[in-house]
């Protein structure tokens, strides 16, 4: 059944599909022919089980995919996708956060004057994020993008002025009550924690009065900074769990 | 007007790099889209790519479409090969949609494979009517064979919109090799804010290409071609074209 450490599975028709092959079973012609797929994995006929038919159709695969086969990297099963809208005042760091989540350069980021659509991959889900600019001229159009969302990411600059925090709160309340968002999970990020004057997550949570005003809704509020992306990813992982739970709820017509 | 262009090779291939050359001096972007399946809900969705083996798909010709006063998304979905002509003139872009940047990155490694940006328009005093009307509608891409081995790329397009808000902006892009449809993408942006600059990254899953087909595509540069159609409120307003070489050379 192949070399030790290598996972292999017998197909019903006698073909042996080695998951290390970079092709999935449907694309691998050897598998389809019901024969052993070596895929350059270096398996020798002598190690094959005598039950396995030994006509070999070698898949012609380049060096890179041989490397993948040797590393036992199977094609991953497709991840669930969720459509999410990302809002917050200008300067709160939305574009920056998303760029960092996608391992992209943050060089040359300027205030967003429209939308940025991005697919952000996490280990167990893909978030299709619609990030919207937060300047006064753009935020009046936010609601045009709410339809079809399954979750909301609301970003706050933890070190902003009191006036700005008040405006943030008003916008958050507006979103929490909007008919197209009011039943959705919310992730509220107290961002820019690296700033010396950053308020704590606790302070912001208290100021936003979420315990009372968002009661009965599904939400998380966490502190974060792009200086610590591991924490950001963990927080998004929690948010994805909320999205999955929501998805599993029976839908009401 | 010239572009700044930066290419990088996929991490696992040591030969060459993705470069581009503009046939015209003032090229617009052309994008690869995604057929990642999404739920049918709301605006800004990707419709699944179709291929010519789908049962019941209707077909039409370029000649038939050119006779129509208005070309709709459904119309171009019937095209089975690259068009000879542009199906609309540049003057039909009444919403002043302008593509300003295009980038491709390998989703598995994050490497930026290709990036092209359009410098901001300066008032050069040149009358628009003096420029070639089809300038900027065609881009020629040059990739190495390794490009065809990629499984997933992220293609980012950046575009600006004029002062008129757009209710529904949609892109359909069809890729062909010789007479064969390789992939069709359909992406609805939905509403576009007036005077906005927007970006969109699609995850493009490479269609399963047989070794023979890939071999042919590498051997015959620029016979892989694409038409990109753009619709505002279901009316064709822009049509761009591109062709592709995978042989690694000019």
């Amino acid at each position: 059944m192949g070399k030790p450490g290598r996972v292999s599975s017998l197909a019903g028709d006698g073909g042996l599909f080695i998951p290390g092959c970079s092709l999935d079973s449907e694309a691998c012609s050897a598998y389809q022919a019901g024969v052993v797929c070596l895929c350059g994995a270096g398996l020798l006929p002598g190690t094959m089980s005598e039950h396995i038919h030994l006509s070999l159709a070698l898949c012609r695969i380049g060096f890179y995919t041989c490397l993948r086969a040797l590393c036992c990297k199977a094609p991953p099963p497709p991840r669930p996708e969720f459509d999410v809208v990302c809002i917050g005042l200008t300067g709160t760091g939305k574009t920056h956060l998303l760029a960092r989540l996608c391992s992209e350069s943050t060089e040359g980021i300027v205030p967003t004057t429209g939308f940025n659509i991005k697919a952000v991959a996490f280990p167990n889900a893909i978030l299709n994020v619609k990030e919207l600019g937060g300047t006064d001229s753009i935020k009046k159009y936010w609601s045009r993008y709410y339809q079809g969302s399954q979750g909301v990411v609301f970003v706050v600059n933890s070190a902003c002025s009191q006036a700005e925090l008040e405006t943030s709160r008003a916008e958050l309340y507006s979103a929490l009550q909007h008919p197209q968002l009011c039943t959705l999970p919310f992730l509220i990020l107290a961002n820019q924690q690296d700033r010396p004057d950053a308020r704590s997550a606790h302070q912001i949570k208290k100021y936003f009065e979420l315990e009372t005003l968002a009661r009965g809704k599904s939400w998380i509020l966490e502190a974060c900074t792009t200086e610590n992306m591991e924490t950001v990813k963990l927080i998004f992982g929690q948010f994805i769990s909320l999205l999955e739970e929501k998805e599993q709820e029976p839908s009401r017509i | 007007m010239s572009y700044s262009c930066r290419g990088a090779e996929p991490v696992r291939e040591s030969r060459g790099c993705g470069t581009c050359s503009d046939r015209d001096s003032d090229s617009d972007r052309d994008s690869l889209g995604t057929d990642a399946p999404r739920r049918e809900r709301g605006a800004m969705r990707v419709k699944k790519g179709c291929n010519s083996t789908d049962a019941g798909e209707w077909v039409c010709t370029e000649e038939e479409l050119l006779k129509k006063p208005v070309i709709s998304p459904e119309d171009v979905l019937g095209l089975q090969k690259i068009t000879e002509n542009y199906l609309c003139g540049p003057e039909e872009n009444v919403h002043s949609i302008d593509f300003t940047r295009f980038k491709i990155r390998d989703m598995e490694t994050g490497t930026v494979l290709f990036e092209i940006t359009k410098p901001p328009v300066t008032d050069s005093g040149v009358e628009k009517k003096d420029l070639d009307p089809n300038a900027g509608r065609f881009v020629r891409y040059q990739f190495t064979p390794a490009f065809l081995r990629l499984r997933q790329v992220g293609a980012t397009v950046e575009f600006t919109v004029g002062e008129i808000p757009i209710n529904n902006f949609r892109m359909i892009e069809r890729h062909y090799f010789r007479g064969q449809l390789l992939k069709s993408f359909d992406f609805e942006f939905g509403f576009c804010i007036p005077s906005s600059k927007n970006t969109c990254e699609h995850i493009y899953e490479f269609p399963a290409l047989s070794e023979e087909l890939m071999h042919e595509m590498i051997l015959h540069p620029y016979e892989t071609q694409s038409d990109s159609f753009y619709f505002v409120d279901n009316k064709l307003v822009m049509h761009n074209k591109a062709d592709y070489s995978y042989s690694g050379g000019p």
Side-chain angles (χ1 to χ4, degrees):
Chain A
M1 292 284 280
K3 282 190 175 164
R6 215 177 293 270
V7 175
S8 52
S9 56
L10 273 174
D13 58 356
L16 177 72
F17 174 63
I18 310 231
C21 171
S22 72
L23 301 176
D24 65 22
S25 56
E26 285 178 64
C28 177
S29 55
Y31 173 87
Q32 292 299 326
V35 298
V36 174
C37 164
L38 284 192
C39 297
L43 292 172
L44 301 172
T47 64
M48 290 294 117
S49 157
E50 61 213 347
H51 295 108
I52 296 163
H53 183 47
L54 280 182
S55 327
L56 306 172
L58 289 175
C59 298
R60 289 180 292 123
I61 296 178
F63 175 74
Y64 172 75
T65 50
C66 288
L67 215 50
R68 286 174 66 86
L70 290 169
C71 296
C72 293
K73 239 181 137 181
R79 285 167 283 186
E81 292 186 29
F82 299 99
D83 294 335
V84 154
V85 66
C86 178
I87 52 177
L89 300 187
T90 187
T92 50
K94 302 179 290 297
T95 310
H96 208 103
L97 261 171
L98 292 175
R100 291 299 306 275
L101 278 171
C102 296
S103 307
E104 286 191 301
S105 162
T106 53
E107 203 183 287
I109 288 182
V110 294
T112 307
T113 56
F115 57 70
N116 292 317
I117 299 173
K118 241 176 163 48
V120 186
F122 292 90
N124 55 342
I126 292 178
L127 295 188
N128 298 311
V129 182
K130 246 179 287 168
E131 181 232 319
L132 304 174
T135 60
D136 290 345
S137 57
I138 301 292
K139 72 180 161 110
K140 63 190 185 199
Y141 291 102
W142 281 356
S143 56
R144 298 295 302 256
Y145 296 96
Y146 290 170
Q147 191 192 356
S149 300
Q150 294 165 275
V152 181
V153 178
F154 190 93
V155 185
V156 177
N157 172 5
S158 307
C160 69
S161 68
Q162 196 58 25
E164 215 178 284
L165 195 63
E166 200 177 307
T167 311
S168 243
R169 181 170 68 174
E171 293 293 351
L172 177 58
Y173 289 171
S174 213
L176 282 165
Q177 289 158 45
H178 193 282
Q180 285 173 328
L181 301 183
C182 58
T183 60
L184 304 180
F186 271 65
L187 170 62
I188 300 141
L189 293 173
N191 196 23
Q192 305 192 39
Q193 287 291 313
D194 50 290
R195 306 254 296 252
D197 45 345
R199 299 173 187 79
S200 69
H202 177 76
Q203 285 173 301
I204 294 178
K205 194 185 294 191
K206 203 162 168 217
Y207 180 76
F208 282 173
E209 295 179 84
L210 289 171
E211 304 289 355
T212 45
L213 290 163
R215 180 165 295 157
K217 296 184 193 293
S218 167
W219 60 273
I220 303 173
L221 190 155
E222 294 285 351
C224 66
T225 160
T226 50
E227 307 273 301
N228 185 346
M229 289 308 296
E230 284 314 305
T231 304
V232 174
K233 288 174 188 174
L234 282 172
I235 294 169
F236 270 87
Q238 291 173 36
F239 181 51
I240 287 166
S241 301
L242 286 190
L243 295 171
E244 284 169 341
E245 277 169 32
K246 177 78 194 164
E247 196 57 20
Q248 276 151 30
E249 274 176 22
S251 52
R252 280 176 269 159
I253 297 167
Chain B
M1 202 178 292
S2 64
Y3 281 110
S4 66
C5 174
R6 159 165 88 77
E9 67 219 42
V11 169
R12 49 196 173 272
E13 172 72 24
S14 57
R15 301 175 38 219
C17 70
T19 57
C20 76
S21 68
D22 302 349
R23 177 179 279 182
D24 306 303
S25 60
D26 180 16
S27 296
D28 274 359
R29 38 91 32 228
D30 197 84
S31 84
L32 301 175
T34 180
D35 70 335
R38 295 194 190 187
R39 273 171 224 85
E40 294 291 311
R41 56 164 88 213
M44 289 212 208
R45 279 180 358 263
V46 172
K47 299 182 173 53
K48 283 189 93 143
C50 66
N51 59 52
S52 53
T53 61
D54 284 354
E57 183 186 278
W58 81 292
V59 295
C60 67
T61 64
E62 176 182 348
E63 292 67 33
E64 286 162 3
L65 295 191
L66 282 168
K67 291 178 192 158
K68 301 186 76 171
V70 166
I71 296 175
S72 72
E74 290 63 40
D75 290 332
V76 308
L77 287 171
L79 289 168
Q80 296 304 308
K81 60 186 176 97
I82 204 82
T83 64
E84 296 281 329
N85 305 292
Y86 288 102
L87 299 189
C88 69
E91 69 286 350
E92 286 171 69
N93 180 15
V94 297
H95 297 84
S96 306
I97 298 163
D98 194 21
F99 294 100
T100 49
R101 187 163 64 97
F102 176 55
K103 177 172 88 175
I104 304 178
R105 64 189 181 118
D106 175 11
M107 292 308 288
E108 289 177 18
T109 61
T111 316
V112 174
L113 302 172
F114 178 90
E115 186 160 7
I116 175 173
T117 49
K118 191 172 180 181
V121 177
T122 51
D123 186 9
S124 58
V126 177
E127 286 289 329
K128 263 203 151 168
K129 63 174 162 44
D130 295 336
L131 298 174
D132 173 3
N134 281 331
R137 306 183 79 182
F138 175 82
V139 179
R140 165 156 287 187
Y141 295 100
Q142 294 163 345
F143 296 116
T144 66
F147 191 83
L148 289 174
R149 301 273 174 204
L150 297 172
R151 280 211 285 206
Q152 268 196 344
V153 293
T156 302
V157 56
E158 180 183 271
F159 64 96
T160 58
V161 162
E163 289 169 0
I164 311 172
I166 295 176
N167 270 330
N168 186 280
F169 186 40
R170 179 173 170 184
M171 172 188 84
I172 292 175
E173 184 166 290
R174 291 167 84 74
H175 288 248
Y176 306 87
F177 176 64
R178 294 176 159 175
Q180 180 187 350
L181 178 68
L182 296 176
K183 195 90 166 176
S184 182
F185 302 91
D186 188 343
F187 190 84
E188 252 183 80
F189 296 95
F191 177 76
C192 296
I193 297 166
S195 307
S196 59
K197 179 181 263 194
N198 309 285
T199 69
C200 180
E201 180 175 53
H202 307 291
I203 308 298
Y204 174 106
E205 301 270 354
F206 270 67
L209 302 172
S210 66
E211 288 295 322
E212 289 81 2
L213 183 57
M214 282 198 270
H215 187 64
E216 288 295 300
M217 288 167 73
I218 292 164
L219 276 185
H220 300 279
Y222 312 120
E223 292 189 47
T224 307
Q225 300 165 292
S226 64
D227 278 318
S228 301
F229 302 104
Y230 302 91
F231 303 88
V232 172
D233 299 330
N234 296 315
K235 182 187 170 212
L236 183 70
V237 295
M238 288 177 85
H239 178 185
N240 291 342
K241 288 177 164 289
D243 64 20
Y244 308 81
S245 160
Y246 302 101
S247 61

